[in-house]
């Protein structure tokens, strides 16, 4: 920093100027002596010189500025200013780097602290009387929308798999084991022909079984024959009517036994 007196102009010839000015005024007023007048002629020249000195002093630049100041001081100031700018730049870069690291660590900690999505539990069957309450009940016990959506998708998948599995499983066919008594008109009826005509009857879902002749009385024998029928395809009433269509040999057809298979 420049010295405080560097920009001050010190007037060292003030007294001489004041004496010359006082003598000048006496000469103008006519009060000056001859000695003063002779002295005044020399003072006039000195006065002119003093005025020139004053003018030079006023126009003279500050001591530090005229001499260019202390160059080393200015150089140090420039160097300090440049170093300050570089330090500020480095500080800003370090601050930005620290903030980025803190942000990254905070994100990792948040991800590590987040609980893993739990596997949805199978919903318990609800009573028929609680159907209205089930509409407002969270089946999977999760408030998180993503977890709820995943649980719903899993539930739909399992229901679909169950439906497909059930569709592939062969349906149970209801069958019945039926024993029929086929009675002829008299003892002269050929029962072998009767049995042959019965076995000629073909229906979808009808399988004939064993047959035998059984004594009824007075030399008359009836045909006892078994068969297995699919309930949805074969009607026992229709089967009886078909057998009775052999009117020349068959008097009646009765059901001796009927059991579900």
């Amino acid at each position: 920093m420049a010295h405080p007196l560097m920009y001050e102009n010190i007037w060292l010839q003030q007294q001489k100027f004041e004496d010359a000015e006082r003598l000048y005024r006496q000469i103008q007023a006519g009060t000056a002596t001859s000695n003063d007048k002779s002295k005044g002629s020399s003072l006039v020249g000195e006065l002119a010189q003093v005025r020139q000195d004053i003018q030079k002093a006023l126009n003279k630049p500050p001591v530090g500025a005229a001499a260019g100041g202390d160059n080393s001081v200015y150089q140090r100031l420039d160097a300090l200013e440049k170093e300050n700018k570089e330090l500020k730049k480095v500080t800003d870069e370090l601050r930005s780097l620290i903030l980025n690291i803190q942000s990254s660590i905070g994100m990792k900690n948040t991800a590590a602290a987040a609980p893993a999505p739990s596997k949805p539990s199978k919903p318990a069957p609800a009573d028929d009387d609680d159907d209205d309450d089930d509409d407002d009940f969270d089946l999977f016990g999760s408030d998180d929308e993503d977890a709820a959506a995943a649980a719903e998708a899993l539930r739909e998948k399992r229901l679909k798999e169950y439906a497909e599995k059930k569709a592939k499983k062969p349906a149970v066919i209801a069958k019945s084991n039926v024993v029929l008594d086929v009675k002829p008109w008299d003892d002269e009826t050929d029962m072998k022909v009767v049995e042959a005509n019965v076995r000629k009857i073909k229906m979808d879902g009808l399988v004939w079984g064993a047959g035998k002749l059984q004594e009824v009385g007075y030399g008359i024998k009836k045909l006892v024959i078994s068969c297995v029928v699919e309930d949805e395809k074969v009607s026992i009433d229709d089967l009886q009517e078909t057998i009775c269509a052999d009117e020349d040999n068959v008097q009646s057809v009765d059901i001796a036994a009927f059991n579900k298979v």
Side-chain angles (χ1 to χ4, degrees):
M1 179 181 294
H3 194 275
L5 297 178
M6 179 178 178
Y7 301 102
E8 295 290 338
N9 293 317
I10 301 175
W11 187 19
L12 301 177
Q13 298 177 339
Q14 180 180 4
Q15 186 63 40
K16 184 183 292 186
F17 179 80
E18 291 178 353
D19 293 340
E21 185 178 9
R22 184 174 59 257
L23 180 59
Y24 176 74
R25 293 184 183 280
Q26 289 176 355
I27 293 173
Q28 286 184 337
T31 59
T33 62
S34 57
N35 187 22
D36 292 333
K37 291 181 179 179
S38 60
K39 187 185 296 185
S41 60
S42 61
L43 287 176
V44 170
E46 291 181 4
L47 180 60
Q49 184 63 38
V50 169
R51 287 181 176 175
Q52 291 179 2
D53 293 341
I54 292 173
Q55 189 66 33
K56 288 180 181 181
L58 292 175
N59 295 331
K60 185 178 180 181
V63 175
D70 192 347
N71 292 333
S72 62
V73 173
Y74 286 110
Q75 290 177 357
R76 289 182 61 188
L77 289 175
D78 292 339
L80 288 174
E81 184 176 1
K82 185 182 296 183
E83 183 178 358
N84 185 39
K85 291 181 179 180
E86 293 178 354
L87 288 175
K88 186 176 184 301
K89 181 179 179 182
V90 173
T91 303
D92 293 339
E93 292 177 353
L94 288 175
R95 183 184 295 108
S96 177
L97 179 60
I98 291 172
L99 292 176
N100 291 335
I101 293 174
Q102 290 178 345
S103 177
S104 177
I105 293 175
M107 293 177 64
K108 290 181 179 180
N109 291 337
T110 302
S118 59
K119 185 177 180 181
S121 59
K122 185 177 180 181
D127 297 336
D128 295 339
D129 297 337
D130 298 332
D131 290 340
D132 295 336
D133 296 336
D134 291 342
D135 294 338
D136 299 331
F137 181 70
D138 186 5
L139 296 177
F140 301 96
S142 175
D143 295 333
D144 186 79
E145 294 182 358
D146 294 338
E152 182 65 21
L154 180 61
R155 177 175 176 273
E156 293 295 334
K157 180 180 178 182
R158 289 181 176 176
L159 290 175
K160 184 178 179 181
E161 291 176 352
Y162 174 76
E164 292 176 353
K165 183 178 180 180
K166 187 176 181 181
K168 293 179 180 179
K169 186 177 180 179
V172 178
I173 301 175
K175 296 181 180 181
S176 299
N177 187 8
V178 183
V179 179
L180 299 175
D181 287 344
V182 182
K183 299 176 181 179
W185 287 105
D186 51 36
D187 58 346
E188 295 181 357
T189 302
D190 189 349
M191 297 306 295
K192 291 183 179 181
V193 175
V194 173
E195 183 177 356
N197 291 339
V198 170
R199 291 185 181 277
K200 286 181 182 179
I201 298 173
K202 304 294 182 183
M203 293 182 179
D204 185 19
L206 170 64
V207 178
W208 291 109
K212 65 178 182 178
L213 297 177
Q214 187 176 359
E215 187 74 27
V216 177
Y218 304 101
I220 299 174
K221 295 181 180 180
K222 64 180 179 180
L223 174 64
V224 181
I225 188 169
S226 65
C227 65
V228 177
V229 299
E230 294 183 15
D231 296 342
E232 293 184 358
K233 295 181 179 180
V234 179
S235 170
I236 300 301
D237 293 338
D238 293 342
L239 180 58
Q240 288 177 289
E241 291 178 0
T242 303
I243 295 174
C244 289
D246 185 9
E247 296 178 352
D248 295 337
N249 298 311
V250 178
Q251 176 190 2
S252 64
V253 178
D254 297 326
I255 299 175
F258 190 98
N259 298 309
K260 291 290 184 180
V261 177

